[in-house]
Amino acid sequence: MENHTKIVLDENDMPKKWYNINPDLPKPLPAPLHPGTHEPLTPKDLSPLFPMELIRQEMSMERYIPIPEEVREIYTLWRPTPLYRAKRLEKALKTKAKIYYKWEGVSPAGSHKPNTAIPQAYYNMKEGVERLTTETGAGQWGSALAFATTLFGLKCTVYMVKCSYEQKPYRRIMMETWGAEVFPSPSERTEAGKVILKEDPTSPGSLGIAISEAVEDAVKSGAKYSLGSVLNHVLMHQSVIGLEAKKALESIDEYPDIIIGCFGGGSNFSGLAFPFMHDKLKGDKESLRAIACEPAACPKLSKGVYAYDFGDTVGLTPLVKMYTLGHTFVPPGIHAGGLRYHGGAPQFSLLENEGLVEVKDIQQTDAFKAAELFARTEGILIAPETAHAVQGVIEEAKRCQEEKTILFNCSGHGHFDLASYDAFHNGKLKDYEYPAEKVKEAMKHLPKMD
Ligand SMILES: *Cc1c(COP(=O)(O)O)cnc(C)c1O
């Protein structure tokens, strides 16, 4: 029992249904609003962006939604993913905690993101869509969607945040190999991009700007748009992570006291945590702690406000109630590109507002120190995003006075982030203070609600 290093479930143990947290939330989720009228959105309002089945899932109150057989068949290319016990990390930390991690970096794209890219491409294909547009920060989401669309014969257009496009050519090449077309954002291809470039020709871009471009492209051309995080249906698709982890832990009579994940828009954290939060919300596991680790340079969960805001920079997307730094906030160019988003998923934000989940801010040099220790103990070279979770784990493990079980999501590998590791090794990585002035300025632009 005590001695497991790696638990791998059988293919047949892979979940047959996704878990949707909507019916279990302590309050109904505040309705998403139309960006122009501020009226609650109807499914029809969303139909220029998403296929009907994803809109249905977004609003669904069913607790479990069946995973289509075609999607499960592709999942088996890398799922079930292994669950590891981090014995060597435990030893290095001299902790009483038992540390387990779910390793999502074994997917073809190298992260958890194909868990939602595959069903999203599938439902679009089913409804006759021929092209998907999207944004990508670090390139992880773009790669996942490029991989998924190619399996279903769809075209894929990716707007890649310019600073990543320049720093990370290998992710672009990966997307192109899977057949996607990739443009640096802001670009001249959209009105949204042109407006930003006019204001600041040297803009490094941001996820918010790239989303504006991808949405505009989709709406104007009759393609559909695909989002890799934040939305309810995305978090639901990611529940395969937590459902598998639960089953694997059950098989060795374990249940976590603490669950940890890094937080960009909230999908990998929620994918792991929500199936366990289900127990807490039912009243079964009240002491369960779930901790989201965000970068100190983009602290929407700890320093943002819980308010209606746009998902993009220009204001084309629906308004959703979430923790936000303001949609015009452009975070400093930290190396964990996947965590540079101004808002947090509405489902997570509601739980945070109710005091049911916790938040930790992590500096990037601490994150890279944690990543290095992880590589030297567990062997895996993790993504800078994931490193924020590992630093969160280290802090909690060091505080453990008694034996506790910690479970964290090891969301992806860092094989395309070696330049960031190099900067860290050469002492070139710096920490950013909380950009209070920039946040204050961006908060002025929150949409006025009546
Ligand atoms: C995109 C990404 C994240 C952050 O996104 P979430 O939606 O918050 O999960 C974290 N880790 C990796 C490896 C990623 O690619």
Side-chain angles (χ1 to χ4, degrees):
M1 285 278 165
E2 286 292 294
N3 267 324
H4 286 282
T5 302
K6 182 168 118 204
I7 301 149
V8 188
L9 297 173
D10 187 77
E11 248 173 56
N12 296 315
D13 285 329
M14 206 174 60
K16 296 195 166 61
K17 293 170 178 172
W18 290 298
Y19 168 63
N20 173 20
I21 201 170
N22 267 345
D24 296 319
L25 290 174
K27 284 179 180 170
L29 211 56
L33 306 178
H34 188 281
T37 63
H38 293 193
E39 292 295 321
L41 275 190
T42 62
K44 206 164 152 256
D45 293 325
L46 287 172
S47 63
L49 295 180
F50 305 111
M52 282 321 287
E53 177 56 24
L54 290 177
I55 297 172
R56 198 185 69 77
Q57 292 182 1
E58 186 65 18
M59 302 184 167
S60 172
M61 289 300 278
E62 285 165 75
R63 185 169 290 118
Y64 293 102
I65 293 190
I67 306 175
E69 217 21 68
E70 295 92 323
V71 171
R72 288 187 84 242
E73 201 266 320
I74 294 174
Y75 275 173
T76 55
L77 288 175
W78 72 95
R79 306 208 71 84
T81 61
L83 180 86
Y84 284 91
R85 170 123 180 236
K87 290 181 187 165
R88 287 174 184 79
L89 177 64
E90 289 171 14
K91 206 164 161 199
L93 297 173
K94 299 190 179 67
T95 176
K96 290 193 173 141
K98 291 190 263 179
I99 302 173
Y100 291 92
Y101 60 96
K102 187 75 166 148
W103 176 220
E104 289 294 309
V106 290
S107 81
S111 76
H112 65 288
K113 291 202 170 75
N115 297 333
T116 184
I118 297 292
Q120 289 195 45
Y122 169 77
Y123 292 120
N124 275 287
M125 175 277 289
K126 275 290 201 198
E127 295 184 29
V129 175
E130 288 173 2
R131 183 172 71 101
L132 288 179
T133 71
T134 197
E135 72 292 331
T136 194
Q140 294 268 24
W141 169 241
S143 327
L145 196 68
F147 161 58
T149 46
T150 203
L151 294 187
F152 291 113
L154 306 184
K155 293 199 184 98
C156 183
T157 305
V158 182
Y159 291 88
M160 185 171 187
V161 175
K162 196 194 277 162
C163 63
S164 294
Y165 184 95
E166 283 161 2
Q167 281 168 11
K168 294 189 167 185
Y170 295 125
R171 278 273 166 203
R172 169 180 58 74
I173 296 164
M174 192 178 199
M175 291 184 260
E176 288 168 350
T177 304
W178 276 316
E181 49 172 8
V182 187
F183 301 102
S185 165
S187 78
E188 295 281 350
R189 291 172 49 87
T190 64
E191 291 311 312
K194 283 183 199 160
V195 168
I196 302 282
L197 285 174
K198 206 167 157 199
E199 273 169 25
D200 177 10
T202 65
S203 167
S206 72
L207 271 179
I209 296 170
I211 294 174
S212 300
E213 292 207 275
V215 166
E216 182 186 324
D217 178 348
V219 170
K220 281 190 176 159
S221 66
K224 297 262 191 250
Y225 166 72
S226 182
L227 189 63
S229 188
V230 181
L231 297 177
N232 303 344
H233 66 266
V234 178
L235 274 48
M236 184 188 77
H237 297 155
Q238 294 294 354
S239 68
V240 288
I241 305 171
L243 292 167
E244 283 179 11
K246 228 173 156 176
K247 208 167 214 178
L249 286 173
E250 253 164 41
S251 75
I252 52 164
D253 265 334
E254 281 277 19
Y255 194 94
D257 298 296
I258 305 175
I259 297 178
I260 295 179
C262 65
F263 196 102
S267 74
N268 89 86
F269 173 85
S270 307
L272 179 67
F274 282 5
F276 293 93
M277 287 299 291
H278 181 199
D279 301 333
K280 185 179 169 92
L281 294 168
K282 274 196 307 200
D284 287 352
K285 297 280 178 187
E286 284 184 31
S287 62
L288 173 68
R289 295 172 61 209
I291 308 171
C293 299
E294 63 177 357
C298 187
K300 63 217 158 211
L301 303 176
S302 65
K303 308 279 186 352
V305 292
Y306 186 45
Y308 272 104
D309 196 9
F310 296 107
D312 68 325
T313 300
V314 175
L316 301 173
T317 67
L319 291 164
V320 292
K321 193 159 182 188
M322 59 182 177
Y323 277 92
T324 176
L325 294 169
H327 62 282
T328 55
F329 176 72
V330 179
I334 55 165
H335 289 266
L339 306 183
R340 290 176 73 238
Y341 184 62
H342 67 270
Q347 289 173 331
F348 175 94
S349 294
L350 187 142
L351 292 173
E352 184 189 336
N353 199 241
E354 295 291 316
L356 291 163
V357 287
E358 298 170 44
V359 169
K360 233 187 228 300
D361 285 0
I362 306 286
Q363 287 287 1
Q364 68 171 349
T365 53
D366 289 336
F368 274 90
K369 272 182 221 149
E372 193 172 80
L373 177 62
F374 197 74
R376 290 177 186 185
T377 50
E378 295 301 308
I380 299 174
L381 203 152
I382 53 177
E385 290 82 359
T386 313
H388 289 68
V390 173
Q391 174 58 16
V393 169
I394 291 173
E395 289 176 13
E396 285 301 318
K398 282 185 171 164
R399 281 176 42 192
C400 275
Q401 299 299 332
E402 56 200 289
E403 189 183 290
K404 286 248 160 86
T405 300
I406 300 177
L407 168 66
F408 79 95
N409 202 358
C410 205
S411 56
H413 70 62
H415 297 180
F416 295 101
D417 301 284
L418 295 175
S420 302
Y421 275 87
D422 199 36
F424 170 65
H425 293 152
N426 294 316
K428 289 193 184 129
L429 218 65
K430 57 177 179 177
D431 284 337
Y432 289 94
E433 285 310 307
Y434 159 54
E437 277 311 306
K438 279 169 85 181
V439 171
K440 208 170 133 199
E441 174 58 29
M443 288 294 184
K444 288 187 202 149
H445 302 286
L446 279 181
K448 306 248 176 324
M449 310 303 298
D450 13 77

